[in-house]
Amino acid sequence: MTDAQETAADLRTTTGGGPPDDVDKAPIPLLEPREGIPPVVADEDALARVVAAFAAGTGPVAVDAERASGYRYGQRAYLVQLRREGAGSALVDPVGCPDLSPLGEALDGTEWILHAATQDLPCLRDIGMVPTSLFDTELAGRLAGFPRVGLGAMVESVLGYALEKGHSAVDWSTRPLPEPWLRYAALDVELLVDLRDALEAELDRQGKLEWARQEFDAIASAPPAPPRKDPWRRTSGMHKVRRRRQMAVVRELWESRDRIAQRRDVSPGKVLSDAAIVEAALALPSHVHALSALPGFGQRMGRRQLEQWMAAVDRARALPEAELPQPGAASAGPPPPRSWADKDPAAAARLSAARAAVSALAEQLNLPQENLITPDTVRRLCWEPPKRLGADTVAEALAGHGARPWQIEQVTPVLVTALAVTA
């Protein structure tokens, strides 16, 4: 039994589960809220009471957020869940309380525990909640070598409890929120502190705790991501679109869809599917009747809707050649690896050797390759290696690409060897 399992067994014992000897034999109990489902906080007076309670609490705070991805435009939070020793659990409605900066300020300096922090931090930042330090239980699980790192899988394998399933992809903008959904949401933070403590102990046992701390600090200090350039290029199925005029159709339809989705506050995919956009681009229809015959445009789509999409296609058809989009988005990085063998065979050889070395080291350290060092960092290093090959120059190049100190320490020796073999 690993230290993490022993810690989990101890936690199960202290929270009323079976004794450690029964961990592998007893059925997995379904997690129950310790204090029941808290009321939803949806006005300023109730929020002030939550702020006071959490400010007076002790220890780290478990935080989660629910969005309405696939239903609403954007990635705003529609429910925020919190739990802290001495304060219990709270469910806060950002629709009724759109400014949660008082809560964020009350937790300033407190460690936040999140699962898959990078998914929730943008929507939390939008409502005034920004951590100064955090512990990401999903990332901790990756670094510790757990094969399944979803919250339910982690709670089950580490703490021995089963979380309720089935509400992760519901429309969290629904009001009022059904009680089963609220129960699900409250349970998401019920054992995050326990999970954090068990994972910290396991990371410490493996000698990876400092690695995790560096990763958490990098997440907490990262600036907001800049707006994506030419987001229409990420339309699913875009690889089928080859001609510039067809690309212009994708761009016009995508931008028209985005404006409509934003105005109606619905997911763009509910306005028009990516597949329909690509079909129109490939067919270049010249009139509404031809457009209506394409997949995604017929059946229940009204004449007015068809005309607005046809207008977008017409705008693309009328563009002069000089205003058509270029075949590929400008990139500051190296070209796609599939083209390296033709463009620079030496770089392709370096990349092959470096990938093999990183893969072997990741297996030895029992963590995913992408957490050991990002594939993009390896590509950039292999495409433009230092002019003088050495541990110091490779380490400097890795740092310039954003690698953390622990990553540099681990991968520099194997990358120097790999690059030297192909020099």
Side-chain angles (χ1 to χ4, degrees):
M1 182 183 291
T2 67
D3 285 5
Q5 289 171 322
E6 291 173 350
T7 304
D10 290 341
L11 284 168
R12 282 194 290 275
T13 302
T14 59
T15 55
D21 290 343
D22 296 334
V23 168
D24 295 325
K25 301 175 184 177
I28 298 173
L30 189 66
L31 183 62
E32 298 287 343
R34 279 174 264 193
E35 299 103 15
I37 304 173
V40 177
V41 174
D43 61 66
E44 296 304 319
D45 290 342
L47 178 61
R49 290 192 291 272
V50 166
V51 170
F54 276 79
T58 58
V61 57
V63 182
D64 190 26
E66 305 294 348
R67 299 176 298 279
S69 303
Y71 297 94
R72 296 289 181 177
Y73 184 86
Q75 294 295 316
R76 66 170 293 186
Y78 282 95
L79 189 70
V80 176
Q81 309 100 281
L82 306 100
R83 184 174 180 85
R84 192 180 192 190
E85 184 69 29
S89 295
L91 302 177
V92 183
D93 179 3
V95 177
C97 303
D99 179 13
L100 297 189
S101 55
L103 183 55
E105 291 165 6
L107 298 172
D108 186 49
T110 300
E111 180 188 81
W112 293 24
I113 308 169
L114 302 103
H115 192 81
T118 54
Q119 295 182 20
D120 287 341
L121 288 179
C123 70
L124 290 169
R125 181 182 290 112
D126 289 344
I127 53 179
M129 297 186 65
V130 183
T132 53
S133 68
L134 62 84
F135 189 106
D136 186 332
T137 50
E138 185 203 47
L139 182 51
R142 290 181 183 278
L143 295 175
F146 284 84
R148 297 164 59 226
V149 294
L151 181 58
M154 294 292 292
V155 167
E156 186 173 318
S157 63
V158 177
L159 302 179
Y161 283 96
L163 287 178
E164 289 189 7
K165 301 176 182 178
H167 301 304
S168 60
V170 299
D171 181 2
W172 288 96
S173 68
T174 301
R175 292 298 183 271
L177 286 165
E179 183 175 328
W181 299 12
L182 296 174
R183 176 189 179 86
Y184 166 91
L187 289 174
D188 270 359
V189 293
E190 185 81 11
L191 288 182
L192 269 185
V193 175
D194 294 339
L195 182 59
R196 173 230 180 275
D197 292 344
L199 290 172
E200 182 179 62
E202 178 62 12
L203 287 167
D204 191 35
R205 186 190 73 81
Q206 294 185 24
K208 298 176 180 176
L209 185 55
E210 176 55 29
W211 302 1
R213 286 172 175 158
Q214 290 181 27
E215 292 299 304
F216 301 157
D217 288 345
I219 294 172
S221 61
R228 191 183 297 277
K229 184 179 180 182
D230 290 345
W232 59 270
R233 291 185 183 273
R234 293 178 63 83
T235 302
S236 180
M238 189 69 190
H239 63 281
K240 303 175 186 176
V241 181
R242 305 289 186 183
R243 292 157 49 193
R244 293 174 64 198
R245 184 73 58 186
Q246 295 172 330
M247 292 178 186
V249 172
V250 172
R251 181 175 63 187
E252 288 292 337
L253 285 171
W254 190 98
E255 291 177 350
S256 295
R257 180 185 70 173
D258 195 64
R259 287 192 296 270
I260 294 168
Q262 187 171 16
R263 184 176 71 247
R264 291 169 47 189
D265 190 19
V266 296
S267 170
K270 288 188 174 296
V271 176
L272 187 68
S273 70
D274 279 11
I277 290 177
V278 171
E279 288 288 345
L282 295 176
L284 285 173
S286 57
H287 49 78
V288 169
H289 182 70
L291 181 66
S292 67
L294 298 175
F297 289 94
Q299 298 178 341
R300 290 171 291 184
M301 187 171 287
R303 177 79 184 187
R304 183 176 176 185
Q305 289 176 294
L306 284 169
E307 287 176 348
Q308 72 183 2
W309 302 129
M310 192 64 229
V313 173
D314 288 342
R315 288 194 297 273
R317 291 171 62 93
L319 283 174
E321 287 288 327
E323 295 181 21
L324 295 177
Q326 294 301 314
S331 174
R338 62 179 177 272
S339 67
W340 286 27
D342 294 329
K343 293 182 182 232
D344 189 337
R350 288 192 295 268
L351 182 61
S352 178
R355 282 174 164 172
V358 169
S359 177
L361 180 58
E363 185 174 353
Q364 177 186 333
L365 295 174
N366 191 29
L367 50 76
Q369 295 181 44
E370 63 270 20
N371 292 114
L372 175 58
I373 192 74
T374 68
D376 181 67
T377 297
V378 175
R379 287 194 294 269
R380 289 173 184 270
L381 176 69
C382 292
W383 186 251
E384 292 187 52
K387 288 185 172 57
R388 180 183 63 80
L389 185 60
D392 57 337
T393 57
V394 169
E396 183 180 358
L398 291 172
H401 294 314
R404 261 71 74 189
W406 77 268
Q407 295 175 313
I408 295 170
E409 180 182 1
Q410 294 298 317
V411 303
T412 293
V414 300
L415 287 177
V416 169
T417 301
L419 295 176
V421 167
T422 56

